[in-house]
Amino acid sequence: MSIQKTPEKNSILFVWLNNYAGILLKTPSKTLAIDPVDVKPKTLQNVDAILITHEHYDHLDPRLITEIQKETNCTIIADAASTKKLQHAIPQEKLTEIKPGTEIKIGEVSVKAEKSNHNAQAPVTYIITSEDQVKIYHTADSLPFPELAKLGQKEKFDVVFCTVGIAPGSTPQTGFEIAWLTKPQVAVPYHTATVASQKEFAELLKKELPRTACLIPEQNKIYQVSKRK
Ligand SMILES: [Zn+2]
């Protein structure tokens, strides 16, 4: 499911790739993939950069990353533990380790790492800001943490991806708490194999946070989100 079309101005397109946090994201100028696993390399033939949040098997597949990097010559941005696992397979100048609080530019698209409340070696979450200032927050396997409220106020997110299952401790309720703390324009429940947990998340959101829209994604479909007015 590579994204052939280009988003309208002030918009982004995204595709949910697997049962986990795999997201393909397209801005008007760049194509990024976050935590791709369980995908065919062809799906990612147009990527400019791949972002990895942590080293767990459902987020990092070193063989897949190596294959895609060879074919596309894309940039890889990864947390410290994933960087270690990739460093012998990826050309040095194409692999960048990122730590919470630091920012990397992919052309005019900004990628900023923040902390993650997840039991991995050096996990991060990613704030991606498109060249049109559309703000996306990819929280991977993070459970809620208090600083999310400040981040939400500061960044005014358009889209926040919220884990609702599979990862240790994650439920529709913890996913909802991430949305509640960050208060995005659109919240997207992912990292689950069941539609029921996405619906449970949607119900909580409707009741407790009616100004945030819920977008329940299906895998391998393209969704567009525009910047908040
Ligand atoms: Zn996971």
Side-chain angles (χ1 to χ4, degrees):
M1 184 78 257
S2 62
I3 304 181
Q4 302 296 351
K5 58 178 185 178
T6 301
E8 289 163 24
K9 210 173 161 15
N10 299 319
S11 302
I12 56 99
L13 300 175
F14 79 84
V15 175
W16 182 32
L17 298 169
N18 54 28
N19 284 344
Y20 314 112
I23 295 289
L24 183 59
L25 182 70
K26 189 158 185 177
T27 78
S29 69
K30 297 289 176 200
T31 303
L32 313 182
I34 306 138
D35 287 356
V37 302
D38 292 351
V39 298
K40 296 206 179 78
K42 246 181 80 183
T43 306
L44 304 178
Q45 63 191 353
N46 300 321
V47 290
D48 298 292
I50 297 176
L51 319 183
I52 307 292
T53 61
H54 64 290
E55 76 281 13
H56 293 163
Y57 74 94
D58 55 334
H59 298 262
L60 171 66
D61 175 349
R63 282 179 66 178
L64 175 71
I65 301 298
T66 304
E67 191 175 342
I68 297 167
Q69 204 285 326
K70 265 199 188 122
E71 262 168 45
T72 60
N73 199 31
C74 67
T75 297
I76 314 290
I77 297 171
D79 64 283
S82 302
T83 300
K84 253 201 191 121
K85 293 195 171 187
L86 292 168
Q87 65 190 357
H88 298 296
I90 306 291
Q92 207 184 348
E93 71 278 10
K94 290 291 177 182
L95 177 63
T96 304
E97 181 183 319
I98 196 164
K99 291 198 171 71
T102 58
E103 182 185 14
I104 291 170
K105 283 291 192 78
I106 311 290
E108 288 175 41
V109 176
S110 154
V111 173
K112 204 158 69 178
E114 294 291 344
K115 84 170 219 186
S116 169
N117 178 15
H118 180 54
N119 193 7
Q121 283 183 43
V124 297
T125 56
Y126 285 111
I127 298 173
I128 299 143
T129 308
S130 77
E131 62 269 42
D132 296 327
Q133 306 298 308
V134 181
K135 294 254 180 190
I136 300 109
Y137 191 24
H138 185 282
T139 61
D141 285 3
S142 184
L143 290 169
F145 54 92
E147 297 93 316
L148 287 175
K150 258 201 178 141
L151 269 185
Q153 278 171 15
K154 185 174 143 214
E155 304 282 353
K156 300 193 170 46
F157 294 117
D158 293 296
V159 190
V160 174
F161 290 96
C162 305
T163 286
V164 297
I166 305 176
S170 315
T171 61
Q173 175 68 34
T174 62
F176 160 74
E177 283 165 24
I178 289 176
W180 192 83
L181 288 162
T182 55
K183 296 186 172 50
Q185 179 197 172
V186 178
V188 180
Y190 73 162
H191 210 294
T192 178
T194 69
V195 180
S197 53
Q198 291 177 306
K199 287 193 172 151
E200 204 179 320
F201 172 92
E203 285 302 315
L204 287 166
L205 208 63
K206 203 168 134 189
K207 211 166 76 189
E208 311 280 346
L209 196 63
R211 293 180 63 185
T212 291
C214 184
L215 193 170
I216 296 183
E218 281 178 47
Q219 289 177 21
N220 300 318
K221 285 200 174 166
I222 301 176
Y223 297 92
Q224 174 163 306
V225 180
S226 300
K227 192 162 75 176
R228 73 166 102 191
K229 299 265 152 59

